[in-house]
Amino acid sequence: MAAAHIEVRDLTIGYGEKVIQSDLNFDINRGDIFVIMGGSGCGKSTLLKNLIGLYQPTKGNIIVDGCDFFNADDQQKIAMRKSWGVTYQSGGLFSAMTLAENIALPLQQYTSLGEHEIAELASYKLALVGLAGFEHYYPSAISGGMQKRAGLARAIALDPDILFFDEPSAGLDPLSSQLLDELIMEIRDSLGSTVVMVTHELASIFAISNNCVFLDAETKTMLDYGDPQQLLQHSQHQKVRRFLKRGVMAGAS
């Protein structure tokens, strides 16, 4: 079997002496849409920040393509991060820049492309997320859903191997959330990327995820991980089944 794209081994995360989660062990396979889920305060966003290297874990290892990120040298870390794309809850766009300028920024920083080529690529990435013709708009002139799509366009500017999302559907109406889910799947398929996302939206979890981990705030560790459809039916933990059954009940109502 091929090695997992991301391997999490014996991971403990927290702030100083405060432990948020401990003994985390799971694999994220290449091409997965992997969801970090659990109740409020369980450490979902903290885990994501550890996975992208913003926080150093208390102990344990995060291994990406066979390389232990936190034991790598600075040049290795920079090279790894260049192959990652990150989106934020609000879109994370620079308000003083147009959409095209936002998308162009990573291309200017990390490639030797000329100005004309960068402008063409920025337009292409915006078109991929349904924002063709919006190159010269500022973030304040577009809706929240469009800002999230523009944030995704910037995240895929360098054709990343891994895409990280923090609550991508937060604040969106159900239809916009569904359209964003479909867009994430299309981008995953077109780029061949692995997707890692924090979300509490059960409709999204069942619609697009094929792998997930459930974090528990009470025990401060993971209770289960795997395909959410399988966990819904077969998890040995009632708390996991109850969490996922909320989505089934909502869909039936």
Side-chain angles (χ1 to χ4, degrees), residues 94-99 101 134-142:
F94 292 104
S95 60
M97 293 181 175
T98 66
L99 300 190
E101 289 169 341
F134 284 84
E135 287 85 351
H136 302 297
Y137 282 66
Y138 287 88
S140 60
I142 61 176

Side-chain angles (χ1 to χ4, degrees), residues 110-251:
Y110 298 115
T111 75
S112 57
L113 296 172
E115 186 176 333
H116 180 69
E117 292 171 301
I118 288 175
E120 285 190 337
L121 267 176
S123 293
Y124 173 64
K125 299 299 182 180
L126 284 168
L128 283 179
V129 301
L131 291 175
F134 284 84
E135 287 85 351
H136 302 297
Y137 282 66
Y138 287 88
S140 60
I142 61 176
S143 69
M146 294 169 75
Q147 289 180 25
K148 286 179 181 286
R149 283 189 277 151
L152 176 53
R154 187 177 62 188
I156 63 173
L158 297 173
D159 295 337
D161 284 336
I162 306 173
L163 270 169
F164 294 97
F165 292 89
D166 188 8
E167 297 281 8
S169 301
L172 297 182
D173 62 83
L175 179 57
S176 297
S177 179
Q178 180 183 342
L179 292 173
L180 184 60
D181 287 343
E182 293 170 357
L183 179 58
I184 290 170
M185 292 189 70
E186 289 171 7
I187 295 295
R188 187 277 308 266
D189 293 342
S190 63
L191 295 181
S193 302
T194 299
V195 175
V196 181
M197 58 192 290
V198 169
T199 185
H200 65 276
E201 301 287 347
L202 289 170
S204 295
I205 292 171
F206 286 116
I208 66 174
S209 172
N210 68 305
N211 199 2
C212 67
V213 64
F214 184 92
L215 305 182
D216 181 45
E218 184 178 3
T219 59
K220 298 185 186 301
T221 192
M222 56 185 282
L223 293 186
D224 217 338
Y225 100 96
D227 186 308
Q229 297 284 356
Q230 293 296 314
L231 296 186
L232 172 65
Q233 300 297 329
H234 303 296
S235 176
Q236 297 180 0
H237 297 274
Q238 184 182 11
K239 188 178 290 187
V240 176
R241 298 195 308 273
R242 187 167 63 241
F243 180 91
L244 290 170
K245 280 179 181 177
R246 293 185 303 131
V248 175
M249 293 169 63

Side-chain angles (χ1 to χ4, degrees), residues 61-117:
N61 307 93
I62 297 171
I63 302 164
V64 183
D65 280 331
C67 182
D68 189 337
F69 180 83
F70 288 101
N71 287 316
D73 61 38
D74 289 344
Q75 290 302 313
Q76 288 175 310
K77 287 179 179 177
I78 290 170
M80 292 168 75
R81 282 184 168 131
K82 283 182 182 178
S83 68
W84 302 348
V86 182
T87 69
Y88 306 93
Q89 287 189 30
S90 63
L93 301 169
F94 292 104
S95 60
M97 293 181 175
T98 66
L99 300 190
E101 289 169 341
N102 269 279
I103 281 74
L105 191 59
L107 295 166
Q108 293 165 343
Q109 289 183 318
Y110 298 115
T111 75
S112 57
L113 296 172
E115 186 176 333
H116 180 69
E117 292 171 301

Side-chain angles (χ1 to χ4, degrees), residues 2-7 9 26-30 63-66:
H5 201 171
I6 303 172
E7 302 168 68
R9 296 291 178 265
F26 57 84
D27 290 341
I28 302 173
N29 298 310
R30 186 171 293 278
I63 302 164
V64 183
D65 280 331

